[in-house]
Amino acid sequence: MKKRFLFVLFALILADSFAQEICNNNIDDDGDRLIDLYDLEDCPCTRMDTFKISLIPNPSFENVNCIPTGFSQLNCAENWEQATLATTDLFSTNGYVSSLVPLPIPNGNNCVATVFHWDWMEYLGTCLTGPLLAGQTYLLKFNVAANVALPISEVETPPISINLVMFGNTSCDPFPLQTYDCPESFGWKELGSINYTMQESWSTSYLFFKPQEDIYSIMLGGQCGYVDVEQHDALNGGQAYILWDDLQLNLASQEIIYYVPNTFTPNGDEHNNTFNPVFVCGYDPLEYRFDVYDRWGELVFTSMDAGTGWDGTYQGLPAKEGVFGWKLEYKAEDTSEKKVLTGHANLLR
């Protein structure tokens, strides 16, 4: 009897070790710590609509334990923390909303705002519902808006472009960090950033990144080392007010096939030197075309390769700063229908 029991137990363990991942049952069938759409090797480009829960808890700040009555009350939002000593703001149409908040709020009644200043950096932080695994590609999709002391239309400068940054930590240590500045000196590492052109209306942004180690907590805010005299003056003292909502963090998947940046800066540094759509998966690389036009409608760049972007030059010379139009033609790999999209982007140097 004992031998029979051991044989059955061994058979069950052996069967489990060779199990196949079922991509829509919310179970880790093959025992590799990855579930359904998070198992990119076994479920490549799995559609998000089978199972989608943001790894960020309370992603739209709708769950609250108190109603905000003024500034500096992020503590009212469940699962969110003042990540540093500089205080982040929670706003709610059920309670207090600053005149700096564009209405309506995109998802629900609540949103969060952070000040972006050269000596006062506000961050919002949280412990994730599950770890970001090293070597996997993730996508943070979020709604963002901005404001300044003066309306942007009254500031006679080019569009103000700043970096929005996600930092990560390998543990979920208590908040807040004892600083009014950047979290990097406390062991937090930059996971990724996007260059954002400030505008007083809500828009959707996408941040793709691949952590180099397992990450258990994150914080969001502005870039480190922000000392830019022109932006400082344009922002009437250097204060940018960034508003956040609906922070959807998941493995990159087929639901978002692409995104197109709204700004690029071909200035030779490490970021945003070329302009092109970024595809994740699900498109046919043989059916792709990307064109860029100047303000007079003249074609300045074209590419048939999704990996080749515009470097900001025209006829061998640097193009002038300004707004450029773009046209994207592509076909999803699982349909015969071609799609044509158009938009505009800012070239800044």
Side-chain angles (χ1 to χ4, degrees):
M1 184 68 180
K2 184 177 180 181
K3 291 182 178 180
R4 181 179 179 183
F5 172 78
L6 292 175
F7 175 79
V8 172
L9 179 62
F10 175 77
L12 289 174
I13 294 174
L14 185 64
D16 183 68
S17 66
F18 289 99
Q20 293 293 314
E21 182 70 20
I22 300 172
C23 297
N24 61 358
N25 65 353
N26 196 19
I27 296 174
D28 180 13
D29 302 286
D30 57 2
D32 62 357
R33 297 189 302 142
L34 303 174
I35 297 174
D36 296 355
L37 65 90
Y38 299 111
D39 196 337
L40 291 183
E41 181 176 348
D42 299 304
C43 303
C45 295
T46 303
R47 293 196 61 84
M48 283 270 198
D49 51 16
T50 59
F51 175 68
K52 180 182 179 181
I53 299 176
S54 179
L55 290 170
I56 294 177
N58 195 13
S60 293
F61 315 102
E62 296 300 303
N63 298 329
V64 296
N65 49 45
C66 58
I67 301 299
T69 57
F71 292 94
S72 305
Q73 294 185 2
L74 180 64
N75 59 289
C76 284
E78 293 182 3
N79 301 114
W80 286 98
E81 304 282 353
Q82 302 282 6
T84 61
L85 295 177
T87 52
T88 304
D89 306 320
L90 173 70
F91 297 120
S92 175
T93 54
N94 294 324
Y96 177 76
V97 176
S98 167
S99 60
L100 298 173
V101 179
L103 297 176
I105 294 173
N107 190 358
N109 300 307
N110 302 347
C111 68
V112 163
T114 57
V115 168
F116 185 68
H117 188 272
W118 68 273
D119 64 353
W120 180 274
M121 305 294 292
E122 294 180 355
Y123 295 92
L124 58 155
T126 186
C127 295
L128 300 172
T129 60
L132 304 174
L133 301 178
Q136 301 279 15
T137 300
Y138 291 87
L139 166 62
L140 174 65
K141 174 186 175 184
F142 62 101
N143 291 318
V144 62
N147 217 309
V148 290
L150 294 173
I152 291 177
S153 59
E154 296 180 16
V155 181
E156 296 182 0
T157 62
I160 302 168
S161 178
I162 60 178
N163 285 338
L164 304 180
V165 184
M166 173 186 283
F167 294 94
N169 198 9
T170 55
S171 63
C172 195
D173 296 331
F175 295 103
L177 304 185
Q178 299 300 301
T179 182
Y180 294 94
D181 204 344
C182 176
E184 288 188 333
S185 60
F186 289 80
W188 287 70
K189 297 181 179 179
E190 181 176 324
L191 299 177
S193 67
I194 64 165
N195 192 259
Y196 168 66
T197 299
M198 292 175 59
Q199 56 185 22
E200 294 177 351
S201 60
W202 290 97
S203 61
T204 303
S205 290
Y206 305 92
L207 192 163
F208 291 87
F209 64 97
K210 181 185 293 187
Q212 301 304 306
E213 51 193 339
D214 292 357
I215 298 296
Y216 288 83
S217 55
I218 63 165
M219 67 171 69
L220 296 161
Q223 71 191 58
C224 294
Y226 171 65
V227 182
D228 187 311
V229 175
E230 291 185 4
Q231 289 183 350
H232 186 278
D233 293 340
L235 292 169
N236 194 32
Q239 295 191 29
Y241 205 52
I242 307 300
L243 299 117
W244 312 74
D245 191 28
D246 198 19
L247 302 162
Q248 297 296 327
L249 175 59
N250 279 286
L251 281 165
S253 79
Q254 191 175 2
E255 185 186 33
I256 302 296
I257 296 178
Y258 73 95
Y259 82 102
V260 183
N262 66 356
T263 301
F264 81 114
T265 56
N267 54 12
D269 64 8
E270 297 179 358
H271 307 287
N272 307 308
N273 284 308
T274 58
F275 174 55
N276 59 288
V278 177
F279 279 83
V280 180
C281 66
Y283 79 104
D284 184 349
L286 299 178
E287 297 286 346
Y288 170 92
R289 181 186 175 103
F290 184 62
D291 296 326
V292 180
Y293 301 87
D294 64 18
R295 59 187 299 181
W296 297 279
E298 184 173 355
L299 181 67
V300 298
F301 173 79
T302 188
S303 174
M304 311 293 285
D305 176 13
T308 302
W310 183 37
D311 63 1
T313 63
Y314 178 54
Q315 294 181 346
L317 298 174
K320 294 182 179 180
E321 286 191 344
V323 178
F324 289 79
W326 57 262
K327 178 180 178 182
L328 169 64
E329 301 179 39
Y330 75 97
K331 184 181 78 68
E333 62 184 3
D334 57 353
T335 70
S336 59
E337 179 185 2
K338 289 187 177 182
K339 295 189 177 182
V340 179
L341 302 171
T342 59
H344 295 85
N346 295 292
L347 187 158
L348 301 177
R349 295 191 182 277

